[in-house]
Amino acid sequence: MNRLPTKIWMLLLLCISFTSTLTKAAEATKVGSWNVAAYKKWWSANTTPEQWITDKKSIHDQLSVIYKKLGSKRALENKHFNGWNSHLLWLSLFPEDYQQDNYFKTPEAQQTFQKIALDQASQQLFLLNLSPHDNQLEALKIFCKIYQAYPQEMKQYANLAVAFSIVYDQPFPEGWPHAFVKKSALPIGDTEPVDRFAFYVKASKEKKLLLDIRKMQPQDLKFVVDTPIKLSELQYLQGVKIKSARQLEDLFQVVRYDKPRLSSGNYIWSNGDYLVFTIGKKGGLCVDQAYFTIHTGKALGIPSIMFMGQGNSGAHAWVGAMKTYGTWGFDYAKFRNEDYPVGQSYDPQTWRRLTDSECIYLDKRNESSDTRAKKYLFWAYLNKESTTYLEVLHAARKAAPQLILTWEMESAVIEKSSDKDQEKFWKRWISTFTAQNDLKFRGEKRLLAFYLKTDQQREYDRLLNSVIKSNKSKREDIVVKVAAEKIFVLIEQNKWEEADKSFKKTMQYLRTKAGGALFYNLVQPYVRICLDEGKKDYAKAAMTRADRAFDAQKGSILDHDMKQLIKLVDSK
């Protein structure tokens, strides 16, 4: 890495010191060489929130001058710049209106904030795992509260504290854990992160966990702590006798499948409170089996994920889990004969959709290059309104080309750029993630929308055909989404004949290949829209084609929903 020579750095500091004098910043910190002694000295001299808030502006102004003089590459690679930049980011997290904050107005909270700053291992772990999508103030509060309550435990369990901070900073989504149980039946409780942290530390010390949570990173542990159910539920599951994560697939099958419930079409849980004991005793559908299985994994310290996907017989739930440290399996109880092209889950840090194929990709990331790029992003977080914002994102992207965070941050502001730059950006996104279908498709979808917005019909058709051709054999779900989007756009434009032709073409093209993905993403919504708009003939024709195309297993969810849709069409 290219380091700035010390002599040049010192000359810059003299220049900045002179500039600071001219701007009457005599009382402010003079940014100098970054080392442990200088850092401790700063905190010894600045012990109050007023000082932190006042001084951070001076530090930011000085770093801005340095950045401008050095340029992005030399500044972002300089250890002195990075040290002060990291310190500045930490200061920026502390609320300026702290006196109105019920937690940070207390002396104990302020002292904890300072203690974490001086515990640089814990502080850096927190900063490197914080995301722009987090509620950063709430995440900081949780981290400080855990540190305040259990300072000694942070030496070994800081990673666990960070995991709780980045998951519990936002409410769990309304649809958690899945759509087949009423919220009123969920055993939610004991949601204070400090108490849940203590629960896992105690379980770790008592050797109740199958994996050592001290050896895992926050990005893995977030799939352990991402459940708000009562601790008594997790405690019960710690008694389940399995010896390794690989046995979770066997556990899935142990929970009895409730065929009568499936046959009745009653997919919603109706056996009282949604307790793991009740699921184990009475059985359930695949979502209940998966829920029981992943919570057993989480209770035993195994990062676990529930995926939902569409196969030949409709929806199915299966499980992903960490088998050994750093090694995951994403297909436990994923029935291979059903041909599920993709499984959907949530990223518990952002509560955004996450696919199983994205999980496989993220599992193989280069952590060292990601860490370097994330440190670059510290400067971007602090300069969102600056003209250098995109410049910093480009530098981070160059340091870690496949770190999705940098692309997402740039995509949020790319519409402010010229048409040429927008098209160039999305093409680069597609080429960068060409080996990862879901991420690639996110770029393709945005580029298709760009071509529609800018009336580039030829380019739109060319890309659309390319997407369909490249995904037909393995990712029919992507083909369906693209085709469905085109059909629904035509309907919005009141071009019913064209929409009908496109629907027929899609059904002919995919036939029996796409299973539940084709039915739930295209057939069902298309037929319902036709009926709502009084286009009964189109709806009947669509159902005739669908009936020929699907060979749903008798008694399956897809079979049931197909029959229900046929009844709906016939009743009109």
Side-chain angles (χ1 to χ4, degrees), residues 7 37 94 130 251 279 374 495:
K7 287 183 179 179
F94 191 85
L130 199 63
L251 184 64
I279 297 171
K374 285 178 180 179
K495 297 178 180 178

Short mmCIF file of all heavy atoms in Angstrom, two decimals, residues 7 37 94 130 251 279 374 495:
data_model
loop_
_atom_site.label_atom_id
_atom_site.label_comp_id
_atom_site.label_asym_id
_atom_site.label_seq_id
_atom_site.Cartn_x
_atom_site.Cartn_y
_atom_site.Cartn_z
N LYS A 7 7.54 13.26 6.23
CA LYS A 7 7.89 14.67 6.03
C LYS A 7 6.77 15.42 5.32
O LYS A 7 6.42 16.55 5.68
CB LYS A 7 9.18 14.78 5.22
CG LYS A 7 10.44 14.40 6.01
CD LYS A 7 11.69 14.61 5.18
CE LYS A 7 12.94 14.26 5.97
NZ LYS A 7 14.17 14.44 5.17
N ALA A 37 -0.83 7.03 21.65
CA ALA A 37 -0.58 8.08 22.64
C ALA A 37 -1.38 9.34 22.32
O ALA A 37 -1.98 9.96 23.22
CB ALA A 37 0.91 8.39 22.68
N PHE A 94 -22.36 10.20 18.16
CA PHE A 94 -22.91 10.72 19.41
C PHE A 94 -23.90 11.85 19.09
O PHE A 94 -23.57 12.78 18.34
CB PHE A 94 -21.81 11.23 20.33
CG PHE A 94 -22.27 11.52 21.72
CD1 PHE A 94 -22.33 10.51 22.67
CD2 PHE A 94 -22.69 12.80 22.09
CE1 PHE A 94 -22.77 10.77 23.96
CE2 PHE A 94 -23.14 13.06 23.37
CZ PHE A 94 -23.17 12.05 24.31
N LEU A 130 -21.22 -1.61 11.03
CA LEU A 130 -22.35 -0.69 10.92
C LEU A 130 -22.65 -0.41 9.45
O LEU A 130 -21.73 -0.29 8.63
CB LEU A 130 -22.01 0.61 11.65
CG LEU A 130 -23.17 1.52 12.04
CD1 LEU A 130 -24.09 0.83 13.04
CD2 LEU A 130 -22.63 2.82 12.63
N LEU A 251 -33.52 -33.21 11.89
CA LEU A 251 -34.49 -32.63 12.82
C LEU A 251 -35.71 -32.09 12.08
O LEU A 251 -36.85 -32.23 12.54
CB LEU A 251 -33.82 -31.51 13.62
CG LEU A 251 -34.66 -30.86 14.72
CD1 LEU A 251 -35.00 -31.88 15.82
CD2 LEU A 251 -33.92 -29.67 15.32
N ILE A 279 -45.32 -27.16 18.18
CA ILE A 279 -44.94 -27.57 16.82
C ILE A 279 -44.32 -28.96 16.86
O ILE A 279 -44.64 -29.83 16.03
CB ILE A 279 -43.94 -26.56 16.21
CG1 ILE A 279 -44.60 -25.18 16.05
CG2 ILE A 279 -43.44 -27.05 14.84
CD1 ILE A 279 -43.62 -24.08 15.66
N LYS A 374 -14.31 -0.73 3.49
CA LYS A 374 -15.22 -0.18 4.50
C LYS A 374 -14.59 1.00 5.23
O LYS A 374 -15.28 1.96 5.59
CB LYS A 374 -15.64 -1.27 5.50
CG LYS A 374 -16.64 -2.26 4.93
CD LYS A 374 -16.99 -3.34 5.93
CE LYS A 374 -18.00 -4.32 5.37
NZ LYS A 374 -18.33 -5.40 6.33
N LYS A 495 -52.84 -1.65 -23.00
CA LYS A 495 -52.57 -2.38 -24.25
C LYS A 495 -52.86 -3.87 -24.00
O LYS A 495 -51.97 -4.71 -23.92
CB LYS A 495 -51.12 -2.17 -24.68
CG LYS A 495 -50.79 -0.72 -25.01
CD LYS A 495 -49.32 -0.55 -25.40
CE LYS A 495 -48.98 0.90 -25.71
NZ LYS A 495 -47.54 1.08 -26.06
#
